[in-house]
Every structure is written in structure tokens, then in C-alpha cells.
Amino acid sequence: MKKAIELAPDSWMPGGKPDPLIHHQHGHVGKSVSRIDGPLKVKGAARFAAEFAPSNMTYAAVMFSTIAKGRIASIDTSAAVTAPGVILVMTHHNAPAMKPMPLFMTNARAAGGDNLPIMQDDRIHWNGQPIALLLAETQEQADHAKSLIRVSYEVESAITSFAAAKAQGTEPGMFMGEKMKVEIGDADAALAAAPHKVSATYRTPRHNHNAIEPHAATVAWDGDELRVHDASQAVAHTAWSLAQVFDIDEKLVHVTSPYVGGGFGSKCLWQHQVLGAAASRIAGRPVRIALSREGVYRVVGGRSLTEQHVAIGAQEDGRFTSIIHTGVTVMSRQNALPEPFIVATRSGYAADTFKLDVEVAYMDMLANTFMRAPGEAVGTFALECAIDELAVELAMDPIELRIRNEPDKDPTQGTPFSSRHIVEAYRAGAERFGWNRRTLPGARREGEWLIGIGCATGTYPYYRMPGGAVRITLAQDGRARVAVAAHEMGMGMSTVNTQIAAERLGLALDEVSVEYGDSTLPGVILAGGSQQTAAIGAAVIAAQRLLVTELLKLAGNDSPLAGLSADEVGGLDGGLAKLDEQDRHESYVSILSRAGRNEVTVEAQAPMPMELQHWSMHSYSAIFSEVRVNVVTGETRVSRVLGSFDCGRILNHKTAASQFRGGIIMGLGLALMEETQFDERNGRIMNASLSDYHVPAHLDVPPIEIIWTDIPDPHTPMGAHGVGEIGITGTGAAVANAVFNATGKRIRDLPLTLDKLM
């Protein structure tokens, strides 16, 4: 008989023992398991938000403003109202009373992308703001009727250029309730005194979200009850926020999101869901509102531009005396997310002095939002390129320079690292990639192609947000159901949590099912910050301990487990067993049958994430890139990438590798092609389509090799750190550094398009 799993519900807390899942028993955790939802998606049986079809459904089309600031002087809807199939034309003249969306990051339950009044007045706040919504019997009829509306505006002066925004003055940036400013010692003086130094400005552009599934919702009212099938990564937050908008009890709002075709930070609450619900209430019929690709650009925020200054001073041996990372990003006054580009710098390297600061300039534009690794994705580009430049100044190997400045504790917070093995990741990655074959800049050429290699460090914080809760139901046949208001956006959430629950309960994978994507289920969990698995896993551990306690009560004195406490018992072979005496075992079927119970249900909340108060906690990556640059055209091709990751215990090798690769591919887009073309004359996004906004296609993506340390962190649930966002961090810099190694030309302005290399 296998040994029962050792159980300690709070073992990841400071001073506790390593979590028992680190020492796996059944082998579910730490194994390659294919995604459970994969077959449904391949067969087309997984229904997404725009695939629900209630009876008597109507179709929505949204009209967007074409000015950045001002008011609607007139809006003529007469032709649209009488167009074939039209059921409703909604403008600010007839929209129902609605409160602004509670703004994300200003309340633990809020999900709103902005806090503006939605179709409540004639004011225009950005170019692309929804100004009319049409409902018709078909999508084609709604789209046609929209084209018949005529609008005139009174235009007001708007701030639509970065230069004008900066000229107005900047304000301190706030992220997660804190100012993004750190000063330790006199960094300017240390830089001036340093024998070796670099100082440069790096720029990154706007980026737009382009998930394979555009944003959509199917909305219906039943009396005062609102039902929303949404493409969401925050079902519980969305339900609460919609209740605030329509001034109804949260219990009357039911949000489901069983499948999401990519989120990356964008699929929270935007104006289209609110407008769909408002139109449905007026029309008394269900509404499907599916944004076009252009509509996503007009209504859904993305990553904001940055202008970053990085200066590093070093001693003769390469040790840093000063790190300065400051700069400006832009945002609207209707949101709460400046791009926090210094986050990675706060914990990346040791230095004698630090000066870190993010300032914000304001523009009249669509509210920006989270986009995969907000801050880190673009901040590591600047920091890691500057370190590469310093390595050239010192004539030192870039990896050796990084290792020489490896901190023994968090350099700005002073807290110990819970787990940090980036040096091991670098050593393993360099050997596997063939780093020792690196040449001097511009020295390697094959025909028209210059070839270079580069590296960069990536880092992303470990988060475990409060609100994790699950319900476990154990049936008389020994099968278990886990219910949690979580989200499956293609990253394998349902699969890895099936593994975690099966491991804790001592069941086979096919004996556990996970119900998710529904606001009526337990938990207030956001699929963001690479923390959803940690939040759910901690709750599963708490619920399993509670289940053991209930089962021991049901087992009674006739059980082999009689007299044992919950701390002495673990899940094993479809039942419970004494930890150090495996023969004292009783199956779940036996316990429930003897107790005359069809099932037993427990619900538990995860303990507060106290580990974050005691440790500096992060995922790490060492990214290696090889590029080819054409000397005639300036075209850049990435020929291979290796990512060497240190993310604690890898819970599912297959889904984690997929997440790492996906992040790297998104990082290739950031490095080489992604850029939102923003017309600074009128604040309009010009390339609002996948024809003009370029993302990596199959031929742009080279072979990507993934390795990892797989060293568990004893201070986290399951020993794991997040893997969803670490892949993109460092990738932009690794490509840029490889381009320098190939050409000898340093590009500090993303994307690395051929015109900058000609």
C-alpha cells in the first residue's frame, strides 16, 4: 500500500513544514496531464459567451464616437429606428439610469475598466466611446441600422499627444494602493562616482489586447434577475459590479463564463456588458453583444506607452553601486492602472543605492488596463537592456555580471526570499543553449544574415489574493466534486485543480470533477496576477482538512480510524488512512455507506495570504534568444529561444510548458512587431484590426525550448509559483540584446522594426 499523504493545512505559513503536496503520493501533481477541456474544444462542444442562444434573442451593434473630447450636439436615429428588423435604438436620450462601474483596483470586488457614466449624458471622453446601441433580429440588420445614424459633435480641446500630456505636468503613479517610488541612499551621487556606468532612455509603445475570442456577452433579464454569459476572468467581481451599476441585490445577478478564448488581463467588466444589460432591460428580450475586432480596440483598454530612464553605476568588478529606474507612463483619469514598470527592478539585483519612480501623465483616451505582466513586460526590457549595455562597458559576460549582483535578500524590502534559484536556471540554460559559442558583436555572419545571441532575466511576483474558497462534495460512490468560482482561459486551470484535489483526496483523476466559471459558486477569485492556482489550491487544502474532520465523525467507533484526529489522517487509495500506519484505512464508500449518507459537503475559505508579509516571493526566468538580421533589408528573424524557469514546483508539466511558450511568443510580438498606432491629432487608434496590428504568426515563431528547476518553495501552497506571466518578462530584452550582438547596433525603442536597423 502507498504511504498516505502527510497533511498540514497551514504548512506554507512562516515557520511551518513544507506543504505535503511537495512530497507527492499518487503522482498526480508534478505530472504531464492533458487539458480536460481539450476534447470539448476540439469537437466544438465547449460553448463560449457568444454561443449561448436563448429563445427570442436579439443582436446588438455599437456605434463609437469619432472625437476625443466634447459633446454630442445632435444624434439623428430616425432612419435607424425604422430600418428592417430593428427593435431598439438606445442613446443617452433613452438609456436607463445606471451608476458608473466600480473601478478595478479601487475595491476588492470591483471589475470595471473605467468609472465613467455609461450613456447617461452627451459627454465624450475618448475617441471610440460608445454613443449608441442598436438591437435587431439579426446581426446584419443591427450593423446596417447603425450605419444610418447621423451624429454631429461640439469638439473641445483634448490632450491626445504624449508631449502635451507631459507638458501639463505629471503626478506620482499609484499601484495596488502604494506610490511607485523607492529611494535608498543617494543614487545620483553613487552613479556620478562610479568608475563604470550606463545611462539611457528606453521607450515602449501602446499595446492592444487581441485574444482569439473577441469580447462578448449574452444577457437576459427575468424580472429583476440578471443573467450574463460572459467572456470573463472575474465572474464574482463582475456580478457584484453589475449589481452596483443597476442598483440591485448581488444575489439577483448570475454571471457564468465556462470557457474563455484568452484573457491576458482584458476580460473583466467593460462598457459593452453594461450596455447589453441595459438594452435587454428596455427591450424585454435577451441580447447577444459581440464586439467586432475593431470594437475591442475602441472599448477595451490595453497596455500604455512608457518612457523609461535607466542608469546603473558599477565598481571595477561589476558590482552595482547605483540603480536608477525612473520614467513616465500615460493613463486616463477614469482608470487606476499606470504601467508599473519598476516592479521587477525593486527585487532584481543588489545595489548600494536605488532611485525608482513611476510618474503619470494624463491623456484623453480609452482607459488602459492590465496586460500580461503589466509593468514587468516592459520594465524588464529597459532594465535588462541596460545591464547588457553595462556588460559591454565592463567587457564582462552578461550572465556573469548578473550573477555577480545576485542579492541575498530583497534589495529594497530587506525581507528574505522564500525561494530563489535564478542562478541555477541561468547555469542550466546557458549550457543547454550553447552560450559559450557567443561571439563579439557583428562577428558572426551567414550570407546576408548577421547572427547574434542574447539573454535577459525575467521576474514576476508571487501573489495569492484573499477570497479563495471552494466546496467539495464527496458522493457515496467515492467520487468528488469541487466547485469554485474560477476561470478557464486556456491555461489548464480545471486540469491542474483536478490534479490537486485528487492528490489531496487520494483519488484517481477520473474520480474528481471541477465545476467553475459561475458567480454563484464559492470564492471571489480573479484569474489574474498568475495567482488563481495558488488561491484555489490553498482553499482546496483547507476544504480537504474540513472534509477529513467530517468523515472521521461519520466513521465513528467501528472504523479502523476510530480515535484518530484529522491531523493524523490523510487521503489514500479512495479513502482515509493513518499517516504512519497505512493498514488503518477505510474507503470513502465504506464510511458513507455505514453512515447512511448519499454525500457529504464541506465549504472552506483559504487562510489569509500571510506568507507575503514574511517573504519576498517571485517567479524567475532566464531567457536566451538567437536572432538573424538581414544586412540588406534590416529584417529580424528569431531563430531559436530557450526559457529556463525557476517557478517552484511545476504542478503540471504539459500545461506549464504551454504557458511558458505562450508568454514567450507574446514577448516576441512585444519585441518585434506589436504597436498600437495612435493618432495624436485626434486620439484615434488607427490600426484597429489584425490586418494592421501585427502579432506573431506561425512563421514568426521559432523552436522554443523550455526547462525549469522544479525546486519547491516550502512557503507556498503546493510549493508552486505562478507560471502564466513569467514567460513574457525578459523576452523583449533577450531579443533586443541578441540584435545588438548580431549587429553592434543598440535599439532602445520597441518594437525592433527593420526601419530602425537599416
Side-chain angles (χ1 to χ4, degrees), residues 204-209 264-266 270 300-306 308 329-331 335 337-341 365-380 460 663 666-667 669-670 674-676 678 685 693 725 728-729 750:
T204 62
R206 303 169 187 275
H207 294 142
N208 263 84
H209 281 283
F264 312 107
S266 74
W270 297 93
V300 177
R303 196 191 304 278
S304 198
L305 62 83
T306 72
Q308 306 174 51
T329 187
V330 297
M331 57 187 285
N335 70 301
L337 181 70
E339 193 71 18
F341 53 76
M365 64 180 199
L366 171 64
N368 53 288
T369 193
F370 287 89
M371 190 167 182
R372 199 176 203 162
E376 291 86 1
V378 293
T380 53
Y460 190 80
M666 203 166 176
L670 175 145
E674 287 200 48
E675 180 177 12
T676 301
F678 188 82
I685 293 173
Y693 184 104
E725 289 163 279
I728 192 175
T729 66
L750 290 181

Side-chain angles (χ1 to χ4, degrees), residues 268-289:
C268 292
L269 182 62
W270 297 93
Q271 290 199 4
H272 67 280
Q273 297 109 312
V274 176
L275 290 170
S280 175
R281 199 168 204 181
I282 294 175
R285 291 175 61 178
V287 169
R288 175 183 293 172
I289 181 165

Side-chain angles (χ1 to χ4, degrees), residues 40-111:
L40 287 173
K41 291 177 177 176
V42 170
K43 292 187 294 185
R47 286 202 296 174
F48 290 79
E51 295 180 322
F52 288 86
S55 60
N56 207 28
M57 185 172 70
T58 63
Y59 297 80
V62 182
M63 187 174 188
F64 309 107
S65 73
T66 56
I67 67 168
K69 189 175 183 181
R71 59 176 293 271
I72 300 170
S74 67
I75 182 165
D76 182 0
T77 62
S78 57
V81 169
T82 58
V86 170
I87 297 159
L88 172 69
V89 179
M90 187 175 74
T91 69
H92 67 280
H93 291 301
N94 62 336
M98 294 177 283
K99 296 179 180 178
M101 296 181 292
L103 184 60
F104 192 43
M105 298 284 285
T106 62
N107 182 292
R109 302 293 305 278

Side-chain angles (χ1 to χ4, degrees), residues 393-743:
E393 158 72 17
L394 289 162
M396 183 180 293
D397 181 272
I399 296 177
E400 180 56 35
L401 178 60
R402 288 172 169 85
I403 292 175
R404 192 158 293 188
N405 289 283
E406 177 69 5
D408 58 2
K409 61 182 178 181
D410 189 292
T412 62
Q413 297 293 323
T415 49
F417 290 110
S418 64
S419 174
R420 183 177 172 117
H421 304 281
I422 184 61
V423 173
E424 291 94 319
Y426 255 116
R427 299 288 192 211
E431 181 178 358
R432 191 76 158 259
F433 191 73
W435 182 258
N436 60 348
R437 297 194 293 273
R438 182 173 180 265
T439 62
L440 293 173
R444 185 180 170 195
R445 179 167 176 167
E446 293 180 5
E448 292 184 354
W449 297 90
L450 294 169
I451 303 172
I453 63 175
C455 71
T457 304
T459 177
Y460 190 80
Y462 163 90
Y463 294 115
R464 183 170 70 82
M465 300 176 189
V470 303
R471 181 169 62 239
I472 298 178
T473 300
L474 183 67
Q476 194 181 54
D477 61 2
R479 303 178 68 85
R481 301 191 309 275
V482 178
V484 57
H487 314 82
E488 178 58 84
M489 301 190 294
M491 67 288 218
M493 179 283 302
S494 56
T495 306
V496 75
N497 282 291
T498 299
Q499 292 174 260
I500 292 168
E503 193 79 13
R504 298 294 305 190
L505 295 167
L507 295 172
L509 290 179
D510 61 4
E511 294 174 323
V512 176
S513 61
V514 177
E515 184 182 2
Y516 56 90
D518 190 321
S519 65
T520 63
L521 299 178
V524 181
I525 299 172
L526 175 73
S530 298
Q531 60 84 49
Q532 184 173 236
T533 296
I536 300 169
V540 168
I541 292 171
Q544 189 266 351
R545 294 307 300 136
L546 187 56
L547 179 64
V548 169
T549 300
E550 292 300 311
L551 289 172
L552 288 176
K553 292 178 184 176
L554 294 176
N557 294 328
D558 294 332
S559 171
L561 305 172
L564 298 178
S565 69
D567 291 335
E568 298 176 280
V569 174
L572 177 70
D573 292 341
L576 299 180
K578 191 172 186 295
L579 293 175
D580 57 357
E581 200 174 329
Q582 293 87 350
D583 289 339
R584 294 188 64 178
H585 174 276
E586 186 172 10
S587 71
Y588 297 131
V589 172
S590 174
I591 294 172
L592 267 66
S593 295
R594 287 193 303 102
R597 294 284 294 272
N598 292 325
E599 62 183 30
V600 59
T601 299
V602 297
E603 187 172 317
Q605 185 94 13
M608 291 295 290
M610 302 299 294
E611 65 266 31
L612 291 163
Q613 298 182 18
H614 297 267
W615 311 97
S616 180
M617 311 179 80
H618 310 267
S619 294
Y620 302 100
S621 65
I623 306 293
F624 298 84
S625 171
E626 179 184 83
V627 305
R628 295 168 178 262
V629 181
N630 192 288
V631 296
V632 177
T633 67
E635 177 188 5
T636 298
R637 288 284 180 183
V638 179
S639 49
R640 61 190 179 100
V641 177
L642 183 143
S644 181
F645 294 92
D646 174 42
C647 298
R649 178 88 181 280
I650 301 300
L651 302 179
N652 184 326
H653 291 192
K654 190 171 187 177
T655 57
S658 178
Q659 285 292 288
F660 291 141
R661 286 192 178 92
I664 287 171
I665 292 168
M666 203 166 176
L668 296 178
L670 175 145
L672 297 176
M673 58 194 72
E674 287 200 48
E675 180 177 12
T676 301
Q677 300 289 344
F678 188 82
D679 191 336
E680 293 201 335
R681 298 167 300 176
N682 59 22
R684 192 163 185 83
I685 293 173
M686 298 181 289
N687 57 337
S689 74
L690 286 178
S691 297
D692 300 311
Y693 184 104
H694 295 164
V695 298
H698 284 289
L699 289 176
D700 298 308
V701 180
I704 299 173
E705 187 173 5
I706 302 296
I707 61 176
W708 51 68
T709 59
D710 205 14
I711 301 172
D713 183 343
H715 306 295
T716 72
M718 298 91 64
H721 291 185
V723 301
E725 289 163 279
I726 184 61
I728 192 175
T729 66
T731 299
V735 173
N737 293 337
V739 167
F740 171 78
N741 183 246
T743 66

Side-chain angles (χ1 to χ4, degrees), residues 145-208:
K146 180 180 70 172
S147 71
L148 303 177
I149 296 177
R150 298 294 177 260
V151 184
S152 64
Y153 302 97
E154 288 184 8
V155 180
E156 298 175 6
S157 178
I159 302 297
T160 54
S161 77
F162 186 37
K166 289 190 294 182
Q168 275 201 329
T170 60
E171 298 178 7
M174 300 287 292
F175 181 63
M176 299 180 72
E178 297 181 357
K179 286 185 178 180
M180 287 184 287
K181 189 168 186 175
V182 177
E183 291 194 56
I184 299 174
D186 191 337
D188 290 316
L191 179 70
H196 298 278
K197 66 196 74 172
V198 295
S199 179
T201 297
Y202 303 85
R203 294 179 175 86
T204 62
R206 303 169 187 275
H207 294 142
N208 263 84

